[in-house]
Amino acid sequence: MGDFGSRVRALLAERGLSIRATARALNYDPAYLSRVINGRQQPSKALAAGLDGLLEAEGALVSLRAPEVRPPEPGAERPTGVDGDIAHMRASVAHLLAHDNRYGGGVMAPAAVQVWRAEQRKLDRGAVPERARAGYLSAVAELAEIAGWLLFDSGRWDASRTAFLESHLLARQAGDRTMEWFALDMLAMHDVQTGRAGEALRIADELLTRPHVPPRIALLARVRRGRALAQVGDHRRALTELEGARAGLEDSISPRDPAWAWWVNDSEITGHEGEALLAAGEARTAIPKMRRALELASAPFPEGRGTLYYSVALLSAYAAAHAWREGEATLVSINALLETVTSVRSRDRLHTTLRVMAHRPHVPPSLLDLMRHTAKAS
């Protein structure tokens, strides 16, 4: 990875590009890109390919990227015991997230729960040596968090909340503050989704008042706080919180940021701004935000989960604004995505939006036909 980072730095210097400008062009978080270039994190295939194309490296960066960790061949030497279990958990997390980014959590949630529960049973039996207990707890906490996220995307709200709560408890037992913060953020996200605005506000306030919380964690807390305020009708303060989160997006980059926070980027903030505006009844103002969030989210995975999520969000904004021509074009693209993306959360929102649209006046007949087709097919 050192060769990869050195080569990227040299190419950036040759072309007069900064890390921030490069991250913006590829829709990646600058902090994540910085960690990769400085050898602190493995570049994904998508990032290596994106950098290769942007910097016109003709395949050099793709070839320099370290190969992914794959299961060893039968008979090959592999970690055993607790070390092997932890290695298996880390590899499982990477595999589950890669699949989720492309196809959504519907199919992978049961597999994530199975891996999480199997490893947690070893903890419950006391089968983990004390010397390895903290590392094992941390790895299981991450698995529980990933399982919670996939269950969340599958629309299994109660099971998802249970997994996030378990992740928080395990992280505290492990003394893993970064994973504890992650679990709290996921719980606040869950509360916003399920209408527990008061609970989301309490979690956000807890994170914002804790000492030594990294800037990016504070930024996320402001996002959750903004969405919760929008839910309770305090739209002015909601938008102020989200504006503050946006202002702090680049300033929040810090060596103390946890590795998992790389996904907090312009697309994420823009999408939340759009949602808050939509909740405030400002659909026309929300539309450009939703369009931009979709544009940014679709750059790395044009047919992925994020593209479906923001396409449905954009359709909701068009429906609220009675923008039927634009809504019809968006629904056509959504139908293509539904063939591969299994995100139940996005599909449920799509069905809700279609029901709302069906009761709007002056919906064109061609759009009504497409809506009926989509409802049956999904």
Side-chain angles (χ1 to χ4, degrees), residues 173-188:
Q173 291 175 341
D176 187 339
R177 287 191 301 171
T178 61
M179 191 54 59
E180 184 182 349
W181 293 328
F182 199 0
L184 283 173
D185 176 67
M186 291 291 99
L187 282 166

Side-chain angles (χ1 to χ4, degrees), residues 180-244:
E180 184 182 349
W181 293 328
F182 199 0
L184 283 173
D185 176 67
M186 291 291 99
L187 282 166
M189 173 196 71
H190 188 286
D191 290 331
V192 169
Q193 175 71 37
T194 55
R196 294 187 179 95
E199 180 67 17
L201 287 169
R202 286 191 291 275
I203 292 174
D205 288 343
E206 178 183 345
L207 286 170
L208 288 167
T209 55
R210 282 191 178 188
H212 311 303
V213 169
R216 179 112 338 171
I217 307 303
L219 182 155
L220 272 169
R222 297 196 73 175
V223 167
R224 307 305 181 199
R225 181 174 173 79
R227 291 296 306 279
L229 288 168
Q231 277 193 343
V232 299
D234 195 342
H235 301 300
R236 182 185 60 79
R237 289 176 63 204
L239 293 172
T240 297
E241 288 287 352
L242 291 168
E243 287 169 5

Side-chain angles (χ1 to χ4, degrees), residues 358-372:
H359 291 90
R360 298 287 190 190
H362 311 303
V363 179
S366 59
L367 178 53
L368 285 170
D369 288 340
L370 180 60
M371 288 161 52
R372 285 190 284 267

Side-chain angles (χ1 to χ4, degrees), residues 55-257:
L55 301 176
E56 300 177 340
E58 299 181 348
L61 295 178
V62 173
S63 64
L64 283 173
R65 175 184 175 271
E68 290 183 351
V69 177
R70 297 182 180 275
E73 296 295 327
E77 185 177 351
R78 68 184 75 188
T80 58
V82 174
D83 291 339
D85 290 341
I86 293 175
H88 171 68
M89 284 188 272
R90 301 299 188 200
S92 296
V93 165
H95 173 68
L96 291 164
L97 286 178
H99 191 284
D100 167 62
N101 284 333
R102 289 189 179 276
Y103 307 115
V107 172
M108 298 302 285
V113 171
Q114 182 180 22
V115 177
W116 160 41
R117 291 297 191 189
E119 299 301 337
Q120 185 152 333
R121 281 195 292 271
K122 295 176 184 177
L123 283 169
D124 296 340
R125 294 197 309 266
V128 179
E130 190 61 34
R131 64 169 180 80
R133 186 171 175 80
Y136 204 96
L137 280 164
S138 180
V140 178
E142 186 174 17
L143 267 179
E145 187 279 324
I146 297 302
W149 161 250
L150 294 172
L151 289 164
F152 178 86
D153 196 51
S154 302
R156 296 175 59 187
W157 311 122
D158 291 343
S160 173
R161 185 174 179 81
T162 297
F164 290 145
L165 288 168
E166 192 66 31
S167 175
H168 182 248
L169 176 62
L170 291 164
R172 289 189 66 180
Q173 291 175 341
D176 187 339
R177 287 191 301 171
T178 61
M179 191 54 59
E180 184 182 349
W181 293 328
F182 199 0
L184 283 173
D185 176 67
M186 291 291 99
L187 282 166
M189 173 196 71
H190 188 286
D191 290 331
V192 169
Q193 175 71 37
T194 55
R196 294 187 179 95
E199 180 67 17
L201 287 169
R202 286 191 291 275
I203 292 174
D205 288 343
E206 178 183 345
L207 286 170
L208 288 167
T209 55
R210 282 191 178 188
H212 311 303
V213 169
R216 179 112 338 171
I217 307 303
L219 182 155
L220 272 169
R222 297 196 73 175
V223 167
R224 307 305 181 199
R225 181 174 173 79
R227 291 296 306 279
L229 288 168
Q231 277 193 343
V232 299
D234 195 342
H235 301 300
R236 182 185 60 79
R237 289 176 63 204
L239 293 172
T240 297
E241 288 287 352
L242 291 168
E243 287 169 5
R246 169 165 295 286
L249 183 59
E250 291 196 354
D251 292 340
S252 71
I253 298 170
S254 160
R256 296 192 296 120
D257 288 331

